[in-house]
Coordinates of all heavy atoms in Angstrom, one line a residue:
M1 N 89.6 106.1 104.9 CA 89.7 105.1 103.8 C 91.1 104.5 103.6 O 92.0 105.2 103.6 CB 89.2 105.8 102.5 CG 89.3 104.9 101.2 SD 89.3 105.9 99.7 CE 90.8 105.2 99.0
H2 N 91.1 103.2 103.4 CA 92.4 102.5 103.3 C 92.6 102.0 101.9 O 91.7 101.4 101.3 CB 92.6 101.3 104.2 CG 92.6 101.8 105.6 ND1 93.6 102.5 106.2 CD2 91.7 101.6 106.7 CE1 93.3 102.7 107.5 NE2 92.2 102.2 107.8
A3 N 93.7 102.3 101.3 CA 94.1 101.8 99.9 C 95.6 101.7 99.9 O 96.3 102.5 99.2 CB 93.5 102.7 98.8
A4 N 96.1 100.8 100.7 CA 97.5 100.7 100.9 C 98.2 100.4 99.6 O 97.7 99.7 98.7 CB 97.9 99.6 101.9
H5 N 99.4 100.9 99.5 CA 100.2 100.8 98.2 C 101.6 100.5 98.6 O 102.2 101.1 99.6 CB 100.1 102.2 97.6 CG 100.1 102.1 96.1 ND1 99.0 102.3 95.4 CD2 101.1 101.8 95.2 CE1 99.3 102.2 94.1 NE2 100.6 101.9 94.0
L6 N 102.2 99.6 97.9 CA 103.6 99.2 98.2 C 104.5 99.7 97.1 O 104.3 99.5 95.9 CB 103.7 97.7 98.3 CG 105.0 97.1 99.0 CD1 105.1 97.6 100.5 CD2 104.9 95.6 99.0
I7 N 105.5 100.6 97.4 CA 106.3 101.1 96.4 C 107.8 100.5 96.5 O 108.4 100.6 97.6 CB 106.5 102.7 96.5 CG1 105.1 103.2 96.2 CG2 107.5 103.2 95.5 CD1 104.5 104.1 97.2
A8 N 108.2 99.8 95.5 CA 109.5 99.2 95.5 C 110.5 100.2 94.9 O 110.3 100.7 93.9 CB 109.5 97.9 94.6
E9 N 111.5 100.5 95.7 CA 112.5 101.5 95.3 C 113.4 100.9 94.2 O 113.9 99.8 94.3 CB 113.3 101.9 96.4 CG 114.3 103.1 96.1 CD 115.2 103.4 97.3 OE1 115.7 102.5 97.9 OE2 115.3 104.6 97.6
I10 N 113.6 101.7 93.1 CA 114.6 101.4 92.1 C 115.6 102.5 92.0 O 115.3 103.6 92.3 CB 114.0 101.0 90.7 CG1 113.1 102.3 90.3 CG2 113.1 99.8 90.8 CD1 112.6 102.2 88.8
R11 N 116.8 102.2 91.5 CA 117.7 103.3 91.2 C 118.2 103.2 89.7 O 118.1 102.1 89.1 CB 118.9 103.2 92.2 CG 119.8 102.0 92.0 CD 121.0 102.1 92.9 NE 121.4 100.8 93.2 CZ 121.5 100.4 94.5 NH1 121.3 101.2 95.5 NH2 121.9 99.1 94.8
T12 N 118.5 104.3 89.2 CA 119.0 104.4 87.8 C 120.4 104.1 87.8 O 121.2 104.6 88.5 CB 118.7 105.8 87.3 OG1 117.3 106.1 87.5 CG2 119.0 105.9 85.8
L13 N 120.8 103.2 86.8 CA 122.2 102.9 86.6 C 122.7 103.5 85.3 O 121.9 104.1 84.6 CB 122.4 101.3 86.4 CG 121.9 100.5 87.6 CD1 122.0 99.0 87.2 CD2 122.7 100.7 88.8
A14 N 124.0 103.5 85.2 CA 124.5 104.2 84.0 C 124.0 103.3 82.7 O 123.8 102.1 82.9 CB 126.0 104.1 84.0
P15 N 123.8 104.0 81.6 CA 123.3 103.3 80.4 C 124.2 102.2 80.0 O 125.4 102.4 80.3 CB 123.2 104.4 79.4 CG 123.2 105.7 80.2 CD 123.9 105.5 81.4
D16 N 123.7 101.1 79.4 CA 124.7 100.1 78.9 C 125.4 100.6 77.7 O 125.2 101.7 77.2 CB 123.9 98.8 78.8 CG 122.9 98.8 77.6 OD1 123.0 99.8 76.8 OD2 122.1 97.9 77.5
A17 N 126.1 99.6 77.1 CA 127.0 100.1 76.0 C 126.2 100.5 74.8 O 126.7 101.3 74.0 CB 127.9 98.8 75.6
D18 N 124.9 100.0 74.6 CA 124.1 100.4 73.5 C 123.2 101.7 73.9 O 122.4 102.1 73.1 CB 123.1 99.3 73.1 CG 123.9 98.1 72.6 OD1 124.9 98.3 71.9 OD2 123.5 97.0 72.9
G19 N 123.4 102.2 75.1 CA 122.7 103.4 75.4 C 121.4 103.3 76.1 O 120.6 104.2 76.3
W20 N 121.0 102.0 76.4 CA 119.7 101.7 77.1 C 119.8 102.1 78.5 O 120.7 101.8 79.2 CB 119.3 100.3 76.9 CG 119.0 99.9 75.5 CD1 119.8 99.3 74.6 CD2 117.7 100.1 74.9 NE1 119.1 99.1 73.4 CE2 117.9 99.5 73.6 CE3 116.5 100.7 75.3 CZ2 116.8 99.6 72.6 CZ3 115.5 100.7 74.3 CH2 115.7 100.2 73.0
A21 N 118.7 102.8 79.0 CA 118.6 103.1 80.4 C 118.4 101.9 81.2 O 117.8 100.9 80.7 CB 117.4 104.1 80.6
R22 N 119.1 101.8 82.4 CA 119.0 100.6 83.2 C 118.5 101.0 84.6 O 118.9 102.0 85.1 CB 120.3 99.8 83.2 CG 120.7 99.3 81.9 CD 122.0 98.5 82.1 NE 123.1 99.3 82.6 CZ 124.1 98.8 83.4 NH1 124.2 97.5 83.5 NH2 125.0 99.6 83.8
H23 N 117.8 100.1 85.2 CA 117.4 100.3 86.6 C 117.6 99.0 87.4 O 117.5 97.9 86.8 CB 115.9 100.7 86.7 CG 115.6 102.0 86.0 ND1 115.3 102.0 84.6 CD2 115.6 103.2 86.4 CE1 115.1 103.3 84.3 NE2 115.3 104.1 85.3
E24 N 117.8 99.1 88.7 CA 117.8 97.9 89.5 C 117.0 98.2 90.8 O 117.0 99.3 91.3 CB 119.2 97.5 89.8 CG 120.0 98.4 90.7 CD 121.3 97.9 91.1 OE1 121.7 96.8 90.6 OE2 122.0 98.5 91.9
K25 N 116.5 97.1 91.4 CA 115.9 97.3 92.7 C 116.9 97.5 93.8 O 118.0 96.9 93.7 CB 115.0 96.1 93.0 CG 113.8 96.0 92.2 CD 112.9 94.8 92.6 CE 111.8 94.6 91.7 NZ 111.3 93.2 91.6
T26 N 116.6 98.4 94.7 CA 117.6 98.6 95.8 C 117.4 97.7 97.0 O 118.2 97.7 97.8 CB 117.4 100.1 96.3 OG1 116.1 100.2 96.9 CG2 117.5 101.1 95.2
G27 N 116.3 97.0 97.0 CA 116.1 96.1 98.2 C 115.3 96.8 99.2 O 115.0 96.3 100.3
R28 N 114.9 98.0 98.9 CA 114.0 98.8 99.8 C 112.7 99.1 99.3 O 112.5 99.1 98.0 CB 114.7 100.1 100.2 CG 116.0 100.0 100.9 CD 116.5 101.2 101.6 NE 116.4 102.4 100.7 CZ 116.4 103.7 101.1 NH1 116.5 103.9 102.5 NH2 116.5 104.6 100.3
A29 N 111.6 99.3 100.1 CA 110.3 99.5 99.6 C 109.7 100.4 100.7 O 110.1 100.6 101.8 CB 109.5 98.3 99.4
C30 N 108.6 101.0 100.3 CA 107.8 102.0 101.2 C 106.4 101.6 101.1 O 105.8 101.4 100.0 CB 108.0 103.4 100.6 SG 107.1 104.7 101.3
A31 N 105.7 101.5 102.3 CA 104.2 101.3 102.3 C 103.6 102.5 102.6 O 103.9 103.2 103.6 CB 103.9 100.2 103.4
V32 N 102.6 102.9 101.8 CA 101.8 104.2 102.0 C 100.4 103.9 101.9 O 100.0 102.9 101.3 CB 102.2 105.3 101.0 CG1 103.7 105.7 101.2 CG2 102.0 104.8 99.6
C33 N 99.6 104.8 102.5 CA 98.1 104.6 102.5 C 97.5 106.0 102.7 O 98.1 106.8 103.4 CB 97.7 103.7 103.6 SG 95.9 103.4 103.6
P34 N 96.4 106.3 102.0 CA 95.8 107.6 102.2 C 95.5 108.0 103.6 O 95.3 109.2 104.0 CB 94.5 107.6 101.3 CG 94.7 106.5 100.3 CD 95.7 105.5 101.1
C35 N 95.4 107.0 104.5 CA 95.0 107.3 105.9 C 96.2 108.0 106.6 O 96.0 108.4 107.8 CB 94.6 106.1 106.6 SG 95.9 104.9 106.9
G36 N 97.4 108.0 106.0 CA 98.5 108.7 106.6 C 99.7 107.7 106.8 O 100.8 108.2 107.2
L37 N 99.5 106.4 106.6 CA 100.6 105.5 106.7 C 101.7 105.9 105.7 O 101.4 106.0 104.5 CB 100.0 104.1 106.5 CG 101.2 103.0 106.4 CD1 101.7 102.7 107.8 CD2 100.6 101.7 105.7
N38 N 102.9 106.0 106.2 CA 104.0 106.1 105.2 C 105.2 105.7 106.0 O 105.8 106.4 106.9 CB 104.1 107.6 104.8 CG 105.2 107.9 103.8 OD1 106.0 107.0 103.6 ND2 105.2 109.0 103.2
T39 N 105.7 104.5 105.6 CA 106.9 103.9 106.3 C 108.2 104.5 105.9 O 109.2 104.3 106.6 CB 107.0 102.4 106.1 OG1 107.2 102.2 104.7 CG2 105.7 101.7 106.5
G40 N 108.2 105.3 104.9 CA 109.5 105.7 104.2 C 110.1 104.5 103.7 O 109.6 103.3 103.7
F41 N 111.3 104.6 103.0 CA 111.9 103.5 102.4 C 112.7 102.7 103.5 O 113.6 103.1 104.1 CB 112.8 103.9 101.3 CG 112.1 104.2 100.0 CD1 111.9 105.6 99.7 CD2 111.5 103.3 99.2 CE1 111.2 105.9 98.5 CE2 110.8 103.6 98.1 CZ 110.6 104.9 97.8
I42 N 112.2 101.4 103.7 CA 112.7 100.5 104.6 C 112.9 99.1 103.8 O 112.7 99.1 102.7 CB 111.8 100.3 105.8 CG1 110.4 99.8 105.4 CG2 111.8 101.5 106.7 CD1 109.5 99.6 106.5
S43 N 113.5 98.1 104.5 CA 113.7 96.9 103.7 C 112.4 96.3 103.2 O 111.3 96.6 103.8 CB 114.4 95.8 104.7 OG 113.4 95.2 105.5
I44 N 112.4 95.7 102.0 CA 111.3 95.2 101.4 C 110.5 94.2 102.4 O 109.3 94.3 102.4 CB 111.6 94.4 100.1 CG1 111.9 95.5 99.0 CG2 110.5 93.5 99.6 CD1 112.3 94.9 97.6
D45 N 111.2 93.4 103.1 CA 110.5 92.5 104.0 C 109.7 93.3 105.1 O 108.6 92.9 105.3 CB 111.6 91.7 104.8 CG 112.2 90.6 103.9 OD1 111.6 90.4 102.8 OD2 113.2 90.0 104.3
Q46 N 110.3 94.3 105.6 CA 109.6 95.1 106.6 C 108.4 95.8 106.0 O 107.3 95.9 106.6 CB 110.5 96.2 107.2 CG 111.4 95.7 108.3 CD 112.3 96.8 108.9 OE1 113.2 97.2 108.2 NE2 112.0 97.3 110.0
A47 N 108.6 96.4 104.8 CA 107.5 97.1 104.2 C 106.4 96.2 103.8 O 105.2 96.5 104.0 CB 108.1 97.8 102.9
A48 N 106.7 95.0 103.3 CA 105.7 94.0 102.9 C 104.9 93.6 104.2 O 103.7 93.4 104.1 CB 106.4 92.8 102.3
E49 N 105.6 93.4 105.3 CA 105.0 93.1 106.5 C 104.0 94.1 107.0 O 102.8 93.8 107.4 CB 106.1 92.8 107.6 CG 105.5 92.4 109.0 CD 104.9 91.0 108.9 OE1 105.4 90.2 108.2 OE2 103.8 90.9 109.6
T50 N 104.4 95.4 107.0 CA 103.6 96.5 107.3 C 102.4 96.6 106.4 O 101.2 96.7 106.8 CB 104.4 97.8 107.3 OG1 105.5 97.7 108.1 CG2 103.5 99.0 107.7
Y51 N 102.7 96.4 105.1 CA 101.6 96.4 104.1 C 100.5 95.3 104.4 O 99.4 95.6 104.4 CB 102.2 96.1 102.7 CG 101.1 96.1 101.6 CD1 100.8 97.3 100.9 CD2 100.5 95.0 101.3 CE1 99.8 97.3 99.9 CE2 99.6 94.9 100.3 CZ 99.2 96.1 99.6 OH 98.3 96.0 98.7
R52 N 101.0 94.1 104.7 CA 100.1 92.9 104.9 C 99.3 93.2 106.2 O 98.1 92.9 106.2 CB 100.9 91.6 105.1 CG 101.1 91.0 103.7 CD 101.6 89.5 103.9 NE 102.9 89.5 104.6 CZ 104.0 89.5 104.0 NH1 104.1 89.5 102.7 NH2 105.1 89.4 104.7
S53 N 99.8 93.7 107.2 CA 99.1 93.9 108.4 C 98.2 95.1 108.3 O 97.2 95.2 109.1 CB 100.1 94.1 109.6 OG 100.8 95.3 109.5
H54 N 98.4 95.9 107.3 CA 97.6 97.2 107.1 C 96.4 96.9 106.1 O 95.3 97.4 106.3 CB 98.4 98.3 106.7 CG 97.7 99.6 106.7 ND1 97.6 100.4 107.8 CD2 97.0 100.3 105.8 CE1 96.9 101.5 107.5 NE2 96.5 101.5 106.4
A55 N 96.7 96.2 105.1 CA 95.7 95.9 104.0 C 94.5 95.2 104.5 O 94.6 94.3 105.3 CB 96.4 95.3 102.8
I56 N 93.5 95.5 103.8 CA 92.2 94.7 104.1 C 92.4 93.2 103.6 O 93.0 93.2 102.4 CB 91.0 95.3 103.4 CG1 90.8 96.8 103.9 CG2 89.8 94.5 103.5 CD1 90.2 97.7 103.0
P57 N 92.1 92.2 104.3 CA 92.3 90.9 103.8 C 91.6 90.7 102.4 O 90.5 91.1 102.2 CB 91.6 90.0 104.9 CG 91.7 90.8 106.1 CD 91.6 92.2 105.7
G58 N 92.4 90.1 101.5 CA 91.8 89.9 100.2 C 92.0 91.1 99.2 O 91.7 91.0 98.1
Q59 N 92.5 92.2 99.8 CA 92.8 93.3 98.9 C 93.9 93.0 97.9 O 94.8 92.3 98.3 CB 93.2 94.5 99.8 CG 93.5 95.8 98.9 CD 94.1 96.9 99.7 OE1 93.7 97.1 100.9 NE2 95.1 97.5 99.2
K60 N 93.7 93.4 96.7 CA 94.7 93.2 95.7 C 95.9 94.0 96.0 O 95.9 95.1 96.4 CB 94.1 93.7 94.3 CG 94.8 93.2 93.1 CD 94.0 93.5 91.9 CE 94.8 93.5 90.6 NZ 94.8 94.8 89.9
V61 N 97.1 93.3 95.9 CA 98.4 94.0 96.2 C 98.8 94.9 95.1 O 98.7 94.5 93.9 CB 99.5 92.9 96.4 CG1 100.8 93.6 96.7 CG2 99.1 92.0 97.6
R62 N 99.0 96.1 95.4 CA 99.4 97.1 94.5 C 100.9 97.5 94.7 O 101.2 97.9 95.8 CB 98.5 98.3 94.6 CG 97.2 98.2 93.9 CD 96.3 99.4 94.1 NE 95.7 99.3 95.4 CZ 94.7 99.9 95.8 NH1 94.2 100.9 94.9 NH2 94.1 99.8 97.0
I63 N 101.7 97.2 93.7 CA 103.1 97.5 93.8 C 103.5 98.4 92.7 O 103.1 98.2 91.6 CB 104.0 96.2 93.8 CG1 103.6 95.3 94.9 CG2 105.5 96.6 93.8 CD1 104.3 93.9 94.9
T64 N 104.2 99.5 93.1 CA 104.7 100.5 92.1 C 106.2 100.5 92.2 O 106.7 100.3 93.2 CB 104.1 101.9 92.5 OG1 102.7 101.8 92.6 CG2 104.5 102.9 91.5
L65 N 106.8 100.7 91.1 CA 108.3 100.9 91.1 C 108.6 102.3 91.1 O 108.0 103.1 90.3 CB 108.9 100.2 89.9 CG 108.8 98.7 89.8 CD1 109.4 98.2 88.5 CD2 109.4 98.0 91.0
G66 N 109.5 102.8 91.9 CA 109.8 104.2 91.9 C 111.2 104.4 92.4 O 111.7 103.6 93.2
G67 N 111.8 105.6 92.0 CA 113.0 105.9 92.6 C 112.9 106.4 94.0 O 111.8 106.9 94.4
G68 N 113.9 106.3 94.8 CA 113.9 106.8 96.2 C 114.0 108.3 96.3 O 114.0 109.0 95.3
G69 N 114.2 108.8 97.5 CA 114.4 110.2 97.7 C 113.2 111.0 97.9 O 112.1 110.6 97.7
E70 N 113.5 112.3 98.3 CA 112.4 113.2 98.6 C 111.5 113.4 97.4 O 110.3 113.6 97.6 CB 113.0 114.4 99.2 CG 112.0 115.3 99.8 CD 111.1 114.6 100.9 OE1 111.6 113.8 101.6 OE2 109.9 114.9 100.9
A71 N 112.0 113.5 96.2 CA 111.2 113.8 95.0 C 110.1 112.7 94.9 O 108.9 113.0 94.6 CB 112.0 113.9 93.8
M72 N 110.5 111.5 95.1 CA 109.6 110.4 94.9 C 108.6 110.4 96.0 O 107.3 110.2 95.8 CB 110.4 109.1 95.0 CG 109.5 107.8 94.7 SD 108.9 107.8 93.0 CE 107.4 106.7 93.3
L73 N 108.9 110.7 97.3 CA 108.0 110.7 98.4 C 107.0 111.9 98.2 O 105.8 111.7 98.5 CB 108.7 110.9 99.7 CG 109.5 109.6 100.1 CD1 110.3 109.8 101.4 CD2 108.6 108.4 100.2
S74 N 107.4 113.0 97.6 CA 106.5 114.1 97.4 C 105.5 113.7 96.3 O 104.4 114.1 96.3 CB 107.2 115.4 97.2 OG 107.9 115.4 96.0
L75 N 106.0 113.0 95.3 CA 105.1 112.5 94.2 C 104.1 111.6 94.8 O 102.9 111.7 94.5 CB 105.9 111.8 93.2 CG 105.1 111.2 92.0 CD1 104.4 112.3 91.2 CD2 106.0 110.3 91.2
I76 N 104.5 110.7 95.7 CA 103.6 109.7 96.3 C 102.5 110.5 97.1 O 101.3 110.2 97.0 CB 104.3 108.8 97.2 CG1 105.2 107.9 96.4 CG2 103.3 108.0 98.1 CD1 106.3 107.2 97.2
R77 N 102.9 111.5 97.9 CA 102.0 112.3 98.7 C 101.0 113.0 97.7 O 99.8 113.0 98.0 CB 102.7 113.3 99.5 CG 103.3 112.7 100.8 CD 103.8 113.8 101.7 NE 105.0 114.4 101.3 CZ 106.2 114.1 101.7 NH1 106.4 113.1 102.5 NH2 107.3 114.7 101.2
H78 N 101.5 113.5 96.6 CA 100.6 114.2 95.7 C 99.6 113.2 95.1 O 98.4 113.5 95.0 CB 101.5 114.7 94.5 CG 100.6 115.4 93.5 ND1 100.1 116.7 93.7 CD2 100.3 115.1 92.2 CE1 99.5 117.0 92.6 NE2 99.6 116.1 91.7
M79 N 100.0 111.9 94.7 CA 99.2 110.9 94.2 C 98.1 110.6 95.2 O 96.9 110.4 94.8 CB 99.9 109.6 93.8 CG 100.7 109.7 92.5 SD 102.0 108.5 92.4 CE 101.0 107.0 92.9
L80 N 98.4 110.4 96.5 CA 97.5 110.0 97.5 C 96.4 111.2 97.7 O 95.3 110.9 98.0 CB 98.2 109.7 98.8 CG 99.1 108.5 98.8 CD1 99.8 108.3 100.1 CD2 98.3 107.3 98.5
R81 N 96.9 112.4 97.6 CA 95.9 113.5 97.7 C 94.8 113.5 96.7 O 93.7 113.8 96.8 CB 96.6 114.8 97.7 CG 97.1 115.3 99.1 CD 97.3 116.8 99.2 NE 98.4 117.1 98.2 CZ 99.7 117.2 98.5 NH1 100.1 116.8 99.7 NH2 100.6 117.5 97.7
K82 N 95.3 113.1 95.4 CA 94.3 113.0 94.3 C 93.2 112.0 94.5 O 92.2 112.2 94.2 CB 95.1 112.8 93.0 CG 95.7 114.0 92.4 CD 96.6 113.7 91.2 CE 95.8 113.2 89.9 NZ 96.8 112.9 88.8
G83 N 93.7 110.8 95.1 CA 92.7 109.8 95.3 C 91.7 110.2 96.4 O 90.6 109.8 96.3
Ligands
ZN1 ZN1 95.2 103.0 105.7

């Protein structure tokens, strides 16, 4: 079963002067699918290209924001197992 998912990587920045948490996109993303596809974090262009060539035509694009690193990837793997 294919249900490709695009995860845009974000990183946490130091809080601003008022103490609000801030995040910014890193320019990297990861394409994953329950069938085992997992590109790891690569450039958004490459990840989007992999996603497009993998997704079923007409499939709704699913983009998630998430932090990078091994903790995020193990969370993704856990999410995919649940589905
Ligand atoms: Zn797949």
Side-chain angles (χ1 to χ4, degrees):
M1 177 201 128
H2 295 292
H5 215 106
L6 199 57
I7 293 121
E9 186 184 47
I10 56 171
R11 67 174 148 238
T12 304
L13 301 175
D16 68 13
D18 296 322
W20 290 98
R22 295 184 304 154
H23 299 87
E24 70 174 5
K25 288 189 191 149
T26 64
R28 299 197 306 164
C30 174
V32 293
C33 182
C35 72
L37 174 75
N38 185 347
T39 64
F41 284 103
I42 54 180
S43 81
I44 282 180
D45 287 348
Q46 279 180 286
E49 180 65 38
T50 303
Y51 178 91
R52 272 194 297 272
S53 63
H54 191 85
I56 298 151
Q59 183 190 316
K60 198 166 157 240
V61 177
R62 279 175 279 197
I63 300 177
T64 303
L65 295 178
E70 190 52 38
M72 185 65 200
L73 289 176
S74 65
L75 175 67
I76 292 162
R77 281 193 286 267
H78 179 73
M79 282 164 48
L80 292 177
R81 271 199 300 272
K82 276 171 74 179

